[in-house]
Amino acid sequence: MISKEPSQRNSFYSRLAGWKSSRGTRYILFVVLLVLFYGSLAPNLVPQRFDIQVGAVSEKDIVAPMQIPNNKATLQAQETAAEKVEAVYTIVSMHRDTVMSQMLERIESLNQDDQISSSDKAQIYSQEIPQRIRNSVANFIRNHRESGNYSAQLMDEMQKTISNQTYSIPEETFLKIPRLSTEEVQQMSQVATSIVSRLMSDQITDAQSARARVAEMVSTSSLNSRTAREVSQELIRATLTANKFYDEEATKAAKVEARENTPVVYVQQGDIIVPAGQVITQEMYTLLDENNLLKNEVNYWPQLGLLLFAFLLVLGIYVFFRQNAQRGTPYNNSQLLMLILIFAISIISFHLVRILQTGNFPYFGYLVPAALGAMLITVLLDIHLAYVCSVILSILVSVILNMRQNEIFDYQFGMFTLVVSLTAIHCIHRASQRSTILKAGIMTCLFGALTVLALVLLDDESWTRMTVMYALGFAFIGGLLTTVLVLGLMPFFETTFGILSALKLVELSNPNHPLLRKLLIETPGTYHHSVMVGNLSEAAAEAIGADGLLCRVGSYYHDIGKTKRPGYFIENQNHMENPHDSIDPKLSKSIIIAHARDGVEMQKEYKLPKPIRDIAEQHHGTTFLHFFYHKALKLAEEHGVEPDFTEDDFRYPGPKAQTKEAAVVGIADSVEAAVRSLNKPTVEQVETMIEKIIKGRLDDHQFNECDLTMKELDVIAQTLKEAVMGIFHSRIEYPEDIKKPELKEKKV
């Protein structure tokens, strides 16, 4: 029963790890990824359609499957905006002070003519002054019609308004004008032109309001003569006209602009269009029909197109996986499952941002944590895979956040995502500390903002200063949000999938870790041995494309179980007797093989990741303890009894190495111990010993459950030989050239 325990445990581990390499499981996971891509893009590319009729009662809530424009509501909003536009008035500079000056010059000239009687002068004034005022207006309108400075409709409105507001000078005024002296006329010229100029500088829609102010202004003027004041008042009133006129064309243009500037009214995704139990109106039906959301005819082509599109995206990842496998670094199903989860989290974040995004505020889309997937894939999986997935995520974002009607992609969000993803990969792919993630996040903020600015400059017509500031701000916030999410999600993936990122491994390699400090203080010999094994295994692992950093850190902890009974291991037996010399070899065997199990328990207590624990548990595999077995045989023979044990009783319980890393650490462990046991090793001895150790483990089937190849074992042997020669350089004796004895010539 005892002899079968190792093989049973090995079988259990084989079945447990089987799903990670199962081809059927892998195909299922790729199908899951296909469904994920299809489902994430369907709301935008293949919206749900409804089979309804006007007048029927809706059996369930009809919800908008995507953001759709409401044309009727938009038209109503446009008309409301147009109605709110106030009438536009245009101010026309009339220069009526010039007309006043010319009239007074005429009065001054005519009054000086003694050949004409006062009554005739009054008669002339009664005809000439109104005619002058009318002609000045007519000439002004005619000149501006011909020049095209103002529209014909405005000139018509001006002529109509001035005509309706014409002022009639009383007849008695004309009788008073001939009695004015030259000095009075000259004085009137200064005052009247000044008053006209001042009044016409205001905006006048009704001349009567301006004329009402004339009497007060003239009374407070410098005119002393009553007649001069009375005549001046009447002439000023007659000269004044409106200068602000209703502009029908400008008003219509303002209404058109108001309609054009009215934002489209959207029914947001998830809004209820028709509540359950409500009668479907023509308006509801038209809204759905205008946006192609009715099942007027069966059409499966969009679904097929989306399925092919999603298939192409998955095919790209599948081909990359195949090429990686051909290069000797295949991904297992656990890594594929993690990749699917990263895609799912990224897509969920895209849709959450999509909820905030509206037709009026599309720049909310830059809040998306665009580089989240790229950063997680780089740190947890592989930089090359991150580049491939960055392109795919950019495509997904350009569809999910697309606000452009009748377009499939929005290149702006796609370009933004691609730039920040590539920036994040470049900044984080050699990360050795978690602070590097923060630095990468800051770089994505900066490059994201630069990308937004570039896109704005390319399409500046649809942007305002305020929207540009919002877009830049959201791009910066999105970068910081990405950093927070990456730092928060990494422990989840590391714990759930047993992933050891480079960041985590560097943290575990810190000598101040409680277990490493315990190892150094209580078993300094084992600590030194572990460090040496770490150097050797790292070099060998990197030579075959395995995880060198994992081998180094795993080596630091692989013998931590020896701290339970440090004196029973030879590297810690300085200046003391070997306790194994005085105890039963079966007990010695139990103590020796227990260190692997004890190490695993201690690592579990300190919550070390599973790959580190696996190295501690598997580095000896099910190897045979020759020394204690033969010692037990010798004791049995000396006591004249039959052995009550077999070779299997003197083997480590396993399991055998399940990964390349565990196998490499096991080989390096044996090599370091063997070389250390030699007094004055030579290069030939080291080379022979390494080959013997690898061949012995190979013949003992210790590599049957990991994917090491014979070629890789040769590379490991050569690398370990070079590394040992470098590490133990001062101790290894190089063979000296042996001089052949010179043959003495025989004397004849």
Side-chain angles (χ1 to χ4, degrees):
M1 191 71 176
I2 297 176
S3 63
K4 294 181 179 180
E5 183 179 351
S7 61
Q8 289 176 345
R9 292 190 61 182
N10 293 343
S11 177
F12 169 75
Y13 276 97
S14 298
R15 290 195 302 272
L16 186 63
W19 78 274
K20 294 183 179 180
S21 57
S22 169
R23 181 174 297 182
T25 303
R26 173 159 299 196
Y27 289 148
I28 292 174
L29 290 176
F30 274 115
V31 171
V32 171
L33 187 60
L34 176 67
V35 173
L36 176 64
F37 287 165
Y38 183 94
S40 64
L41 299 177
N44 291 74
L45 301 182
V46 186
Q48 181 183 3
R49 297 177 184 272
F50 305 97
D51 185 10
I52 60 173
Q53 296 295 329
V54 177
V57 177
S58 177
E59 298 179 356
K60 60 181 182 179
D61 289 341
I62 297 179
V63 179
M66 57 185 292
Q67 179 177 269
I68 58 176
N70 190 335
N71 294 334
K72 183 175 181 179
T74 301
L75 289 174
Q76 290 176 348
Q78 290 174 345
E79 291 305 316
T80 301
E83 291 173 1
K84 291 181 179 179
V85 173
E86 296 181 356
V88 178
Y89 287 84
T90 299
I91 299 174
V92 180
S93 181
M94 300 288 290
H95 302 291
R96 302 302 289 168
D97 53 339
T98 303
V99 177
M100 173 61 74
S101 178
Q102 291 173 351
M103 284 195 302
L104 291 174
E105 288 178 2
R106 171 61 176 161
I107 291 172
E108 181 180 357
S109 174
L110 188 59
N111 279 0
Q112 291 176 356
D113 190 348
D114 297 334
Q115 302 298 321
I116 304 174
S117 64
S118 295
S119 60
D120 291 339
K121 290 179 181 178
Q123 183 65 30
I124 292 172
Y125 290 140
S126 65
Q127 295 178 359
E128 188 172 315
I129 289 177
Q131 187 62 40
R132 243 177 215 281
I133 294 173
R134 287 194 297 271
N135 288 344
S136 67
V137 174
N139 291 336
F140 181 88
I141 293 175
R142 183 179 64 255
N143 291 337
H144 282 284
R145 282 184 187 275
E146 293 174 357
S147 65
N149 293 335
Y150 300 100
S151 66
Q153 287 184 338
L154 179 62
M155 291 295 97
D156 291 342
E157 179 66 22
M158 178 179 175
Q159 186 173 16
K160 177 183 176 183
T161 301
I162 294 177
S163 176
N164 292 337
Q165 298 179 7
T166 301
Y167 182 79
S168 296
I169 301 175
E171 289 296 329
E172 58 187 32
T173 301
F174 298 123
L175 296 175
K176 296 176 182 178
I177 295 176
R179 298 199 295 267
L180 295 171
S181 65
T182 300
E183 292 76 11
E184 289 176 326
V185 173
Q186 290 176 353
Q187 194 176 19
M188 286 172 56
S189 179
Q190 295 177 358
V191 173
T193 54
S194 175
I195 292 175
V196 170
S197 178
R198 286 168 57 188
L199 290 174
M200 290 298 294
S201 66
D202 296 333
Q203 298 179 13
I204 304 172
T205 55
D206 183 6
Q208 188 58 37
S209 61
R211 290 166 185 160
R213 300 169 55 192
V214 171
E216 180 183 357
M217 297 178 72
V218 171
S219 299
T220 58
S221 68
S222 59
L223 294 176
N224 297 322
S225 169
R226 179 178 178 181
T227 303
R229 288 198 299 270
E230 292 175 350
V231 172
S232 295
Q233 289 181 23
E234 296 303 324
L235 292 180
I236 292 172
R237 291 189 180 107
T239 305
L240 291 175
T241 63
N243 62 3
K244 183 178 180 182
F245 307 97
Y246 171 70
D247 193 335
E248 185 177 358
E249 285 191 2
T251 303
K252 289 181 179 178
K255 290 181 179 292
V256 171
E257 184 178 1
R259 292 188 182 94
E260 292 177 350
N261 292 336
T262 301
V264 177
V265 178
Y266 289 95
V267 178
Q268 298 301 325
Q269 182 178 359
D271 288 353
I272 297 177
I273 300 176
V274 183
Q278 184 171 334
V279 176
I280 299 170
T281 64
Q282 183 63 48
E283 180 181 344
M284 298 172 181
Y285 185 88
T286 303
L287 174 62
L288 295 172
D289 189 28
E290 289 175 342
N291 292 282
N292 299 318
L293 297 176
L294 293 179
K295 289 184 179 179
N296 296 325
E297 58 182 15
V298 178
N299 184 8
Y300 295 108
W301 295 115
Q303 288 89 335
L304 179 59
L306 177 56
L307 184 62
L308 290 175
F309 182 68
F311 174 77
L312 291 174
L313 297 181
V314 175
L315 182 63
I317 298 175
Y318 176 79
V319 170
F320 180 82
F321 273 44
R322 286 290 300 272
Q323 290 179 341
N324 245 44
Q326 292 173 0
R327 289 195 295 264
T329 54
Y331 295 100
N332 59 40
N333 293 337
S334 176
Q335 293 170 312
L336 177 56
L337 178 59
M338 182 165 57
L339 178 66
I340 293 173
L341 281 179
I342 293 174
F343 267 116
I345 292 172
S346 299
I347 290 171
I348 290 172
S349 69
F350 300 161
H351 280 283
L352 289 176
V353 173
R354 180 68 175 81
I355 294 174
L356 299 175
Q357 193 184 26
T358 64
N360 299 332
F361 304 101
Y363 46 79
F364 269 110
Y366 292 112
L367 190 61
V368 67
L372 173 62
M375 292 177 75
L376 288 174
I377 294 171
T378 302
V379 174
L380 299 173
L381 291 170
D382 177 52
I383 182 174
H384 304 292
L385 179 61
Y387 281 121
V388 174
C389 294
S390 293
V391 176
I392 294 176
L393 287 169
S394 301
I395 295 173
L396 295 176
V397 166
S398 66
V399 175
I400 295 172
L401 298 183
N402 179 31
M403 302 294 294
R404 301 170 184 265
Q405 295 297 318
N406 303 319
E407 293 186 21
I408 297 176
F409 304 101
D410 189 330
Y411 77 93
Q412 292 183 340
F413 292 114
M415 184 66 183
F416 170 77
T417 301
L418 184 61
V419 170
V420 297
S421 296
L422 296 180
T423 301
I425 293 172
H426 175 75
C427 294
I428 206 174
H429 76 283
R430 294 186 182 273
S432 59
Q433 296 179 354
R434 295 193 184 270
S435 60
T436 309
I437 298 178
L438 179 59
K439 296 176 183 177
I442 294 174
M443 293 302 295
T444 59
C445 292
L446 296 177
F447 277 87
L450 286 176
T451 305
V452 171
L453 183 59
L455 295 172
V456 168
L457 295 177
L458 288 172
D459 186 21
D460 61 342
E461 293 183 0
S462 61
W463 293 87
T464 64
R465 181 177 299 179
M466 185 59 68
T467 56
V468 170
M469 295 303 296
Y470 274 123
L472 293 174
F474 281 128
F476 202 89
I477 295 172
L480 297 179
L481 179 62
T482 300
T483 305
V484 173
L485 290 175
V486 170
L487 290 173
L489 289 171
M490 276 189 59
F492 163 76
F493 283 105
E494 289 173 345
T495 303
T496 304
F497 291 91
I499 294 295
L500 266 180
S501 64
L503 303 176
K504 184 67 174 179
L505 284 172
V506 171
E507 290 177 0
L508 292 174
S509 66
N510 189 336
N512 289 322
H513 189 283
L515 281 180
L516 293 185
R517 287 185 61 82
K518 180 180 179 68
L519 187 68
L520 174 62
I521 295 171
E522 299 181 9
T523 56
T526 301
Y527 179 85
H528 180 264
H529 161 72
S530 299
V531 172
M532 300 302 288
V533 172
N535 294 334
L536 295 174
S537 63
E538 182 179 34
E542 291 180 349
I544 63 172
D547 192 339
L549 184 57
L550 173 59
C551 286
R552 170 181 284 275
V553 180
S555 298
Y556 291 167
Y557 292 90
H558 80 290
D559 276 344
I560 198 70
K562 291 182 178 180
T563 58
K564 287 286 185 74
R565 305 171 189 86
Y568 286 88
F569 299 92
I570 191 169
E571 65 267 23
N572 301 313
Q573 295 172 0
N574 294 330
H575 309 294
M576 63 176 291
E577 294 184 359
N578 190 340
H580 292 290
D581 294 340
S582 58
I583 64 175
D584 186 79
K586 294 181 182 179
L587 178 59
S588 296
K589 177 266 302 184
S590 300
I591 293 174
I592 294 297
I593 67 175
H595 84 274
R597 182 181 64 253
D598 293 337
V600 173
E601 295 301 323
M602 293 175 67
Q603 291 182 39
K604 284 183 179 179
E605 182 181 349
Y606 282 86
K607 295 182 173 55
L608 263 65
K610 190 174 185 301
I612 301 294
R613 302 199 308 267
D614 287 344
I615 289 177
E617 187 175 23
Q618 299 169 16
H619 75 281
H620 282 296
T622 58
T623 52
F624 182 44
L625 281 75
H626 294 272
F627 177 80
F628 294 111
Y629 174 73
H630 290 294
K631 183 179 179 182
L633 283 180
K634 185 177 180 181
L635 286 176
E637 183 179 351
E638 290 176 356
H639 289 84
V641 296
E642 287 293 328
D644 59 348
F645 52 84
T646 65
E647 289 188 6
D648 287 340
D649 294 326
F650 282 81
R651 284 185 177 273
Y652 280 91
K656 296 177 182 178
Q658 305 294 307
T659 62
K660 290 182 179 181
E661 288 77 14
V664 168
V665 172
I667 295 172
D669 177 58
S670 297
V671 168
E672 197 280 334
V675 172
R676 182 164 32 83
S677 67
L678 298 175
N679 185 19
K680 292 183 178 181
T682 64
V683 175
E684 287 80 1
Q685 285 178 318
V686 171
E687 186 173 1
T688 302
M689 185 169 291
I690 292 174
E691 292 177 354
K692 181 180 179 182
I693 290 172
I694 293 178
K695 185 176 185 302
R697 289 197 169 225
L698 186 63
D699 292 341
D700 198 23
H701 308 294
Q702 295 301 313
F703 305 135
N704 286 8
E705 297 178 13
C706 65
D707 50 358
L708 277 177
T709 63
M710 295 298 295
K711 181 179 180 181
E712 288 174 336
L713 288 173
D714 290 339
V715 173
I716 291 172
Q718 180 63 26
T719 305
L720 286 176
K721 184 184 78 170
E722 295 172 357
V724 168
M725 290 171 63
I727 294 173
F728 297 95
H729 179 75
S730 61
R731 292 173 51 189
I732 296 178
E733 294 183 356
Y734 289 83
E736 297 180 357
D737 293 332
I738 301 174
K739 295 182 180 180
K740 296 182 179 180
E742 295 181 0
L743 297 175
K744 295 181 179 180
E745 294 183 359
K746 294 182 178 179
K747 292 181 180 181
V748 179

